[in-house]
Amino acid sequence: MTSIAENLKSVGTLINQAALDAHRRPVDITLLAVSKTRTADELRELYLHGQKHFGENYLQESLDKMFALDDLAITWHFIGPIQSNKTRSIAENFDWVHSVDRLKVAQRLSEQRPQSLPSLNICLQINISGEESKSGCLPTEAEALLNQIDTLPNLNVRGLMAIPAATDDTLAQQAALAAMQAMYIKLQKQYPKFDTLSMGMSGDMQIAIREGATMVRIGTALFGPRHYTKTKNSN
Ligand SMILES: *Cc1c(COP(=O)(O)O)cnc(C)c1O
């Protein structure tokens, strides 16, 4: 087996074990392979070993890969910061967007979603750690924003996404993930169709699953460390 295939297997085992430890069903957790900076061949290999969901951060890079992998039935997720002049291409090419954090972007995605495609699945990104430089709406803004976004015709609001502040402090990490779960459960009463809590990366996937994540976004644990200098990361 190749190392990517082995990694996929061991990440699958970790997810299953974390789910069972949390008295959850492993099938209720979706693995999103975060493939920024990875080559189309690496994605193809993972796909051939059963991985269907891929997450990308940089628009031009992802369009190149979509073109190269046109023969595969990949579900594409956009997870990077969104500039409003990039919404058309995102609306035309992706199945999911996890990083919606303001009304203007949601409106543009809805307007620009081609009628020939199903509604665009979206998550509202929450800046759960209140970091000034980070994307995501503030927790206090989420409900009002969702009320507006939910009226847009070509979007299917699936839930919430967060990238908690990187920290070695396990308690702080857990607190942020738990706060996300509490917010998700509260909003789910208003939006029973919510089925997605997108959180957990290579370093915190087990805690995230314990705190209710339904989709974990994993890059490094699948592909190894990223080498940014070798790739062009222009949007
Ligand atoms: C890069 C990235 C990930 C994956 O992070 P790893 O630590 O490599 O697993 C997850 N989510 C987002 C939004 C990312 O940009």
Side-chain angles (χ1 to χ4, degrees):
M1 252 200 315
T2 61
S3 68
I4 286 183
E6 276 168 21
N7 292 346
L8 180 62
K9 211 171 153 205
S10 53
V11 167
T13 305
L14 283 177
I15 291 173
N16 286 356
Q17 193 54 53
L20 296 174
D21 289 348
H23 308 290
R24 300 185 55 201
R25 298 186 308 170
V27 293
D28 291 337
I29 296 145
T30 301
L31 170 59
L32 177 60
V34 174
S35 44
K36 59 178 177 248
T37 78
R38 313 300 175 171
T39 64
D41 284 344
E42 288 174 288
L43 275 72
R44 180 178 294 277
E45 188 180 345
L46 213 50
Y47 180 91
L48 294 177
H49 285 92
Q51 180 61 32
K52 294 288 179 318
H53 293 268
F54 288 87
E56 289 280 340
N57 297 57
Y58 310 108
L59 185 59
Q60 190 53 52
E61 181 191 323
S62 53
L63 296 178
D64 293 346
K65 287 180 220 176
M66 285 175 186
F67 185 73
L69 301 171
D70 195 28
D71 55 320
L72 308 181
I74 288 177
T75 301
W76 293 100
H77 298 243
F78 192 82
I79 63 173
I82 305 173
Q83 295 163 260
S84 24
N85 64 341
K86 300 284 164 59
T87 51
R88 180 174 301 280
S89 190
I90 293 172
E92 288 174 353
N93 290 287
F94 282 83
D95 304 294
W96 283 73
V97 180
H98 292 225
S99 41
V100 174
D101 63 359
R102 54 197 194 276
L103 184 60
K104 184 180 168 201
V105 159
Q107 282 168 333
R108 291 175 66 97
L109 289 171
S110 178
E111 275 162 26
Q112 295 166 344
R113 181 69 169 172
Q115 291 303 318
S116 57
L117 296 176
S119 293
L120 183 62
N121 297 296
I122 66 154
C123 292
L124 184 67
Q125 183 176 351
I126 311 290
N127 184 353
I128 193 63
S129 310
E131 291 175 283
E132 254 176 48
S133 59
K134 279 284 163 65
S135 319
C137 73
L138 292 175
T140 49
E141 299 167 342
E143 192 171 343
L145 196 49
L146 274 174
N147 289 340
Q148 291 176 296
I149 291 176
D150 196 50
T151 64
L152 300 172
N154 301 317
L155 303 182
N156 185 11
V157 187
R158 301 289 295 266
L160 306 178
M161 180 275 227
I163 313 172
T167 170
D168 294 332
D169 179 348
T170 327
L171 282 179
Q173 200 178 35
Q174 172 143 20
L177 296 164
M180 280 303 298
Q181 183 180 37
M183 180 185 283
Y184 177 72
I185 289 171
K186 181 162 172 259
L187 288 167
Q188 213 173 24
K189 297 203 175 87
Q190 206 179 325
Y191 300 99
K193 64 181 176 179
F194 269 22
D195 60 3
T196 304
L197 180 54
S198 165
M199 62 184 193
M201 319 205 308
S202 296
D204 64 354
M205 69 176 130
Q206 280 117 324
I207 311 184
I209 289 168
R210 201 181 325 134
E211 299 298 341
T214 68
M215 200 177 285
V216 289
R217 309 181 308 266
I218 308 298
T220 309
L222 288 172
F223 296 102
R226 282 182 287 276
H227 306 288
Y228 278 103
T229 47
K230 282 192 196 159
T231 49
K232 46 176 170 38
N233 282 337
S234 64
N235 268 308

